[in-house]
Amino acid sequence: MNGIVAQLQQAWDGRTRREQRMLAVMALLAAAVVVWLGVVRPVNDWRAEAANNHARAGAELVEVRTALTHLAPAKAGRARMDARGLEPVVVQTAEAAGLKLTTGMDASGRLGFRAAGAPAAAVFGWLAALETTHGLRPASLSVFENADATLQVEGAF
């Protein structure tokens, strides 16, 4: 190790004062580039990515809050429907979807329904419409396929 240092010291001493200054400036610039590429740029990239993540999270928060404010009227509408009865709403929306329902009380005391020979698109469109417009989801749902590619659906709200 001392041999390498001695050779470097001899090479340095063999240079003129001007060459020594130029080599020192070059070493300083090379060190600055290494620090820039190895420390400063990664830190700046990390900060920019953190800022983007923060902005994205803020936008998602706004979307969630907007969705929650849109759900509040649906919950209020469901409370109003409980007071006046679910059956008329369920029957009217089913008829609008082209379904013939049989309604009644199920074993647990909820509003039960049954549709036989119903097209799949009509059944699932009706259930989706009930959820989006009135906030109603079936508490139980059984779906059986008939031989003629229609469905037999039973459930309760």
Coordinates of all heavy atoms in Angstrom, one line a residue, residues 10-24:
Q10 N 5.0 10.6 -5.9 CA 6.1 10.9 -6.9 C 5.5 11.5 -8.2 O 6.0 12.5 -8.7 CB 6.9 9.7 -7.2 CG 8.1 9.9 -8.0 CD 8.9 8.6 -8.3 OE1 8.4 7.5 -8.0 NE2 10.1 8.8 -8.8
A11 N 4.4 10.9 -8.7 CA 3.7 11.4 -9.9 C 3.2 12.8 -9.6 O 3.3 13.7 -10.5 CB 2.6 10.5 -10.3
W12 N 2.6 13.1 -8.4 CA 2.1 14.4 -8.1 C 3.2 15.4 -8.0 O 3.1 16.5 -8.5 CB 1.3 14.3 -6.8 CG 0.7 15.6 -6.3 CD1 1.2 16.5 -5.4 CD2 -0.5 16.2 -6.8 NE1 0.4 17.6 -5.3 CE2 -0.7 17.4 -6.2 CE3 -1.4 15.8 -7.8 CZ2 -1.8 18.2 -6.4 CZ3 -2.5 16.6 -8.0 CH2 -2.7 17.8 -7.3
D13 N 4.3 15.1 -7.4 CA 5.4 16.0 -7.3 C 6.1 16.2 -8.6 O 6.7 17.3 -8.8 CB 6.5 15.4 -6.3 CG 6.0 15.5 -4.9 OD1 5.1 16.3 -4.6 OD2 6.5 14.7 -4.0
G14 N 6.0 15.3 -9.6 CA 6.6 15.5 -10.9 C 5.8 16.5 -11.8 O 6.2 16.8 -12.9
R15 N 4.6 16.9 -11.3 CA 3.8 17.8 -12.1 C 4.1 19.3 -11.7 O 4.5 19.5 -10.6 CB 2.3 17.6 -11.8 CG 1.8 16.2 -12.0 CD 1.6 15.9 -13.4 NE 1.2 14.5 -13.6 CZ 1.4 13.9 -14.7 NH1 2.1 14.5 -15.7 NH2 1.1 12.7 -14.9
T16 N 3.8 20.1 -12.6 CA 4.0 21.5 -12.3 C 2.8 22.0 -11.5 O 1.8 21.3 -11.3 CB 4.0 22.4 -13.6 OG1 2.8 22.3 -14.3 CG2 5.1 21.9 -14.6
R17 N 3.0 23.2 -10.9 CA 2.0 23.8 -10.1 C 0.6 23.9 -10.8 O -0.4 23.6 -10.3 CB 2.5 25.1 -9.5 CG 1.5 25.9 -8.7 CD 1.1 25.4 -7.4 NE 2.3 25.4 -6.5 CZ 2.3 24.9 -5.3 NH1 1.3 24.3 -4.8 NH2 3.4 24.9 -4.6
R18 N 0.7 24.3 -12.1 CA -0.5 24.5 -12.9 C -1.2 23.2 -13.1 O -2.4 23.0 -13.1 CB -0.1 25.1 -14.2 CG -1.2 25.4 -15.1 CD -0.8 26.2 -16.4 NE -1.9 26.4 -17.2 CZ -1.9 26.5 -18.5 NH1 -0.7 26.5 -19.1 NH2 -3.0 26.8 -19.2
E19 N -0.4 22.1 -13.5 CA -1.0 20.8 -13.7 C -1.6 20.2 -12.4 O -2.7 19.6 -12.4 CB 0.1 19.8 -14.2 CG 0.5 20.0 -15.6 CD 1.7 19.1 -16.0 OE1 2.4 18.6 -15.1 OE2 1.8 18.9 -17.2
Q20 N -1.0 20.5 -11.2 CA -1.5 20.1 -10.0 C -2.9 20.7 -9.7 O -3.8 20.1 -9.2 CB -0.6 20.4 -8.8 CG 0.6 19.5 -8.8 CD 1.6 19.9 -7.7 OE1 1.5 21.0 -7.1 NE2 2.6 19.1 -7.5
R21 N -3.0 22.0 -10.0 CA -4.3 22.7 -9.8 C -5.3 22.2 -10.8 O -6.5 22.0 -10.4 CB -4.1 24.2 -10.1 CG -3.3 24.9 -9.0 CD -3.2 26.4 -9.2 NE -2.4 27.0 -8.2 CZ -1.7 28.1 -8.4 NH1 -1.8 28.8 -9.5 NH2 -1.0 28.6 -7.4
M22 N -5.0 21.9 -12.0 CA -5.9 21.4 -13.0 C -6.4 20.0 -12.5 O -7.6 19.6 -12.6 CB -5.3 21.3 -14.4 CG -5.3 22.7 -15.0 SD -4.7 22.8 -16.8 CE -4.3 21.2 -17.3
L23 N -5.5 19.1 -12.1 CA -5.9 17.8 -11.6 C -6.8 17.9 -10.3 O -7.7 17.1 -10.2 CB -4.6 17.0 -11.3 CG -3.9 16.5 -12.5 CD1 -2.5 15.8 -12.1 CD2 -4.7 15.5 -13.3
A24 N -6.5 18.8 -9.5 CA -7.3 19.0 -8.3 C -8.7 19.5 -8.7 O -9.7 19.0 -8.1 CB -6.7 20.1 -7.3

